[in-house]
């Protein structure tokens, strides 16, 4: 029920409160780091906060405050035969639960997106970041209170056991939407156990198909960008499919261009360039690393069927100068985002013009691809009459 | 991938095939009826087919054939900073599974709606209507073959055990959307057990609130219509909330008007008119019968909180001449359809202008209220570039 201005003021106060409480947050974060002995350095880096990271969290919240209000949009309007004025209006879900893993900044990010979209947030962080997330949420609640809002608009599950995550997944009637933010294991656990409405997010086994009529320079720069610009994210390319008609010519160029990337080659590709043999599993793996599985296919048809069998339906691309081949690929590849002559790295809330992102949906219900504030709303029908009854 | 005309021709051929095979269908239906000994007469009537019912099934399919194509609509279009043309386009889900109960006409209805929306249907009927549904689907498949389409576009689960329903609910990766059509038990089973995306449909504990500033004649005719025009459907009213300021005057009028309807009265109402005392459970029951639970409330605020606690979020109405009170109610009652001065009976795909309905969603994910062809589609982002890479 909050107005746009009320939400805006709350978000700005939350951002200020984060910075003001940075010492307390860093103290709790150090405790988390001390406890987290058996985790990898990569995970430690994700877990570690700094003054700089807290400031950028606050800036993220301020950016969200500047986005347009998704609530109360009239999506459709019609007057029916009985003379009823039927309006389809966007409304918040209500209570949005988010289960996330190590990075504590997700707590601030998620709380801001939920508040901006009119939802109450219920956060359940990973056990490694337990103390950091609590300190962050404590600061955010302080911001809410400063502008006279109930701090129950943002909530943190006060328990780090698996049991609390399971209870959240099964809190029918209390949780209107569950969004897992994390690795494949977490997402699978939510999809398999949730009785509350749940959005499958994240994992991206993204494919790039280089067609016989591709511009090689364009193909090479797109593949290099999709694989190496940021290998650890879900919209990075993991599998390259090369048309057999150009494989002999193209693969050597690829190998030279992707110096430093480990290529895992199908049998046909091995006959053309040297490299490690791909195992069956390599075409079903989200490497999130400088590794690319390479398969030679007999044209666009085989590329499409390989993608249908192995994709996680996140993002795929075709590189070709032939508009017909492109149209064929674009109409038959059923993924959230399908590209012609562009890098899969563009599948992102910011790049798509949402200004933010709570996750990237890889399922088909409610939302596909980047989910922003609008996707954190549902709708209601509001109907005005003057005594109409049904005949 | 079918064009609008291909789908239209298929639907018309399916309708003709139904009528052509009416004797075979009626024969199988008689076998179902003979087997179904221990079911009630009401259920037998739902199960029983006649030449007339088969003809109206066929007419229903022809109506669907005349609806606009939901597939391939450009829902949004923008060019981003990198110069990518990003189109959000409506596409079918893929495989839509529908688990339904006794009425065999649901098989024809569902198969037609799925085909018209570009989806493959996977039907699993109740065990009572097993033979009838198979005969219907056999006829529909004959229609598909006549227009040269694969009959695998429509499928019927060839098993009537609970196990097959459970397998359908858990067929992740094979079923893109599951829609239960039936009673509360079936819907609960799907919501609790489904690992595939599932839409909660149907049950309607619909409320009407008569405000102190209501037009009594309007209120009485709306209540009569919402309760008695067709008590067995989900958009019929089950609970009446009456403002305490007008209860003394209004309730006697109500009792006179709803002659033949069993009123179940809260304590306050019992002090005004004679009638059966309501039990706690009566305010959480979908009677689907000539029964109305009546509660006296202290104004719109208590009406809203009672609805929040007891509604199934299907349809609710306020009767008042006061626009402010109406606006307050409409903005705070979180149900799929909220009415001012009209009957809840209008929550219907036809009345809302969809021309059809596969169910009424009572949850918030993807769709709320009547689901038509558009709600049987999801979307994809199709992005055209000329070599863009992400910086």
């Amino acid at each position: 029920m909050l107005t746009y201005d009320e939400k805006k003021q709350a978000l700005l106060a939350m951002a200020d409160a984060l910075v003001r409480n940075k010492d307390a947050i860093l103290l709790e974060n150090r405790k988390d780091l001390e406890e987290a002995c058996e985790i990898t350095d990569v995970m430690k880096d994700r877990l570690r906060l700094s003054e700089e990271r807290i400031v950028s969290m606050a800036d993220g919240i301020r950016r969200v405050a500047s986005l347009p209000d998704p609530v109360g949009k009239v999506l459709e309007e019609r007057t029916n035969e009985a003379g009823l004025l039927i309006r389809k209006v966007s409304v918040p879900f209500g209570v949005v639960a988010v289960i996330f893993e190590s990075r504590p900044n997700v707590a601030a990010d998620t709380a801001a997106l939920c508040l901006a979209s009119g939802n109450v947030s219920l956060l359940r962080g990973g056990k490694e970041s337990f103390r950091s997330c609590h300190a962050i949420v404590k600061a955010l609640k302080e911001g809410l209170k400063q502008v006279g809002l109930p701090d129950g608009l943002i909530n943190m599950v006060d328990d780090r056991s698996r049991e609390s995550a399971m209870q959240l997944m099964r809190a029918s009637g209390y949780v209107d939407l569950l969004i897992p933010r994390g690795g494949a294991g977490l997402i699978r656990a939510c999809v398999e156990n949730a009785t509350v409405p749940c959005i499958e997010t994240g994992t991206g086994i993204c494919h790039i198909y280089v067609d016989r009529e591709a511009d090689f320079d364009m193909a090479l720069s797109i593949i290099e960008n999709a694989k190496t610009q940021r290998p650890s994210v879900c919209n990075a390319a993991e599998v390259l499919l090369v048309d057999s008609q150009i494989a002999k010519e193209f693969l050597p160029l690829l190998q030279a261009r992707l110096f430093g990337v480990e290529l895992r080659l199908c049998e046909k590709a091995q006959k053309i360039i040297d490299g490690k043999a791909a195992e069956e599993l390599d075409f079903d793996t989200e490497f999130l690393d400088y590794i690319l599985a390479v398969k030679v296919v007999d044209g666009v048809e085989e590329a499409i069927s390989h993608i249908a069998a192995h994709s996680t339906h996140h993002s795929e691309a075709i590189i070709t100068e032939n508009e017909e081949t492109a149209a064929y690929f674009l109409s038959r590849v059923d993924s959230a985002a399908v590209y012609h002559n562009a890098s899969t790295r563009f599948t992102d809330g910011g790049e798509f013009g949402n200004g933010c992102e709570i996750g990237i949906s890889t399922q088909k219900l409610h939302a596909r691809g980047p989910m922003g504030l609008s996707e954190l709303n549902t709708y209601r029908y509001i109907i005005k009459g003057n005594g109409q009854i049904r005949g």
Side-chain angles (χ1 to χ4, degrees), chain A:
Chain A
M1 302 306 308
L2 298 180
T3 66
Y4 180 61
D5 284 340
E6 286 170 321
K7 290 185 288 190
K8 199 185 183 79
Q9 293 317 313
L11 289 163
L12 296 176
M14 284 158 58
D16 296 343
L18 262 190
V19 178
R20 198 170 47 241
N21 289 276
K22 62 183 186 314
D23 296 340
I25 294 167
L26 290 172
L27 180 68
E28 294 303 309
N29 184 241
R30 271 194 294 279
K31 292 185 195 161
D32 277 335
L33 284 161
E34 284 155 16
E35 251 189 42
C37 35
E38 76 280 356
I39 65 171
T40 65
D41 290 357
V42 180
M43 281 180 75
K44 275 206 165 144
D45 176 62
R46 289 171 144 227
L47 177 52
R48 181 171 291 105
L49 290 175
S50 62
E51 180 159 350
E52 188 190 9
R53 282 188 174 182
I54 291 172
V55 168
S56 82
M57 264 192 246
D59 291 341
I61 295 178
R62 294 190 185 98
R63 266 197 307 281
V64 171
S66 70
L67 296 172
D69 193 355
V71 180
K73 279 194 220 138
V74 177
L75 306 170
E76 288 173 28
E77 180 169 330
R78 69 170 76 94
T79 303
N80 78 350
E81 286 175 1
L84 291 174
L85 174 62
I86 302 173
R87 280 206 187 90
K88 183 178 176 180
V89 181
S90 65
V91 295
F93 273 95
V95 175
V96 175
V98 178
I99 303 179
F100 58 97
E101 289 175 334
S102 59
R103 289 183 299 121
N105 60 302
V106 174
D109 182 29
T110 304
L113 292 169
C114 288
L115 188 91
S117 55
N119 294 291
V120 170
S121 54
L122 184 45
L123 311 172
R124 200 277 185 187
K127 65 179 188 326
E128 299 78 13
S129 61
F130 190 74
R131 289 198 173 84
S132 313
C133 291
H134 265 281
I136 289 167
V137 168
K138 188 159 174 275
L140 299 177
K141 283 172 170 285
E142 183 182 298
L144 287 173
K145 282 188 234 150
Q146 279 177 321
V147 293
L149 290 178
D151 68 354
L153 294 177
I154 300 171
N155 307 280
M156 178 91 197
V157 175
D158 201 5
D159 176 299
R160 55 172 112 183
S161 69
R162 284 191 171 286
E163 184 49 35
S164 67
M166 196 62 84
Q167 284 175 4
L168 212 51
M169 298 176 200
R170 304 186 151 276
S172 301
Y174 298 94
V175 170
D176 296 297
L177 179 61
L178 170 65
I179 303 175
R181 295 184 70 173
L186 168 66
I187 290 155
R188 204 178 315 109
C190 286
V191 169
E192 280 170 12
N193 297 306
T195 58
V196 301
C198 175
I199 295 271
E200 192 172 348
T201 60
T203 47
I205 299 180
C206 302
H207 296 72
I208 295 177
Y209 166 62
V210 181
D211 181 59
R212 64 195 57 171
E213 294 177 64
D215 173 323
F216 284 7
D217 293 337
M218 184 192 288
L220 291 168
S221 77
I222 287 174
I223 295 162
E224 181 182 39
N225 180 259
K227 178 71 266 183
T228 69
Q229 193 230 2
R230 203 173 161 203
S232 65
V233 294
C234 61
N235 57 21
E238 304 292 10
V239 181
L240 176 67
L241 304 172
V242 180
D243 191 331
S244 55
Q245 288 200 17
I246 51 138
K248 274 196 177 51
E249 197 183 342
F250 184 77
L251 287 177
L253 300 172
L254 176 81
Q255 190 163 41
R257 182 68 168 262
L258 290 195
F259 180 79
V261 172
E262 178 184 323
L263 302 180
R264 299 195 179 170
L265 308 171
C266 73
E267 281 187 12
K268 289 177 182 169
Q270 277 184 293
K271 296 199 175 85
I272 301 168
I273 55 172
D274 300 335
K276 187 173 174 186
E279 287 162 23
E280 195 53 42
L281 213 64
D282 288 325
F283 292 101
D284 298 290
T285 303
E286 188 183 25
F287 299 115
L288 301 173
D289 199 350
Y290 292 92
I291 303 171
L292 183 68
V294 178
K295 184 182 172 72
V296 174
V297 295
D298 290 329
V300 68
E301 202 55 72
E302 192 186 345
I304 291 168
S305 43
H306 178 91
I307 290 168
H310 298 275
S311 168
T312 54
H313 309 295
H314 187 301
S315 302
E316 332 291 344
I318 179 173
I319 318 299
T320 185
E321 295 300 297
N322 183 315
E323 284 298 329
E324 270 182 37
T325 311
Y328 191 84
F329 183 92
L330 293 172
S331 66
R332 280 164 175 77
V333 172
D334 186 20
S335 296
V338 192
Y339 293 84
H340 175 208
N341 290 347
S343 170
T344 55
R345 288 277 296 112
F346 284 103
T347 304
D348 171 276
E351 296 291 337
F352 275 34
N354 301 343
C356 66
E357 175 180 295
I358 197 162
I360 293 181
S361 165
T362 54
Q363 46 94 68
K364 300 179 185 178
L365 198 64
H366 179 66
R368 285 182 97 171
M371 291 179 66
L373 295 183
S374 304
E375 289 74 23
L376 285 171
N377 269 217
T378 176
Y379 61 80
R380 276 191 302 135
Y381 288 99
I382 294 178
I383 300 114
K384 305 276 284 177
N386 44 32
Q388 283 86 346
I389 60 173
R390 188 157 168 195

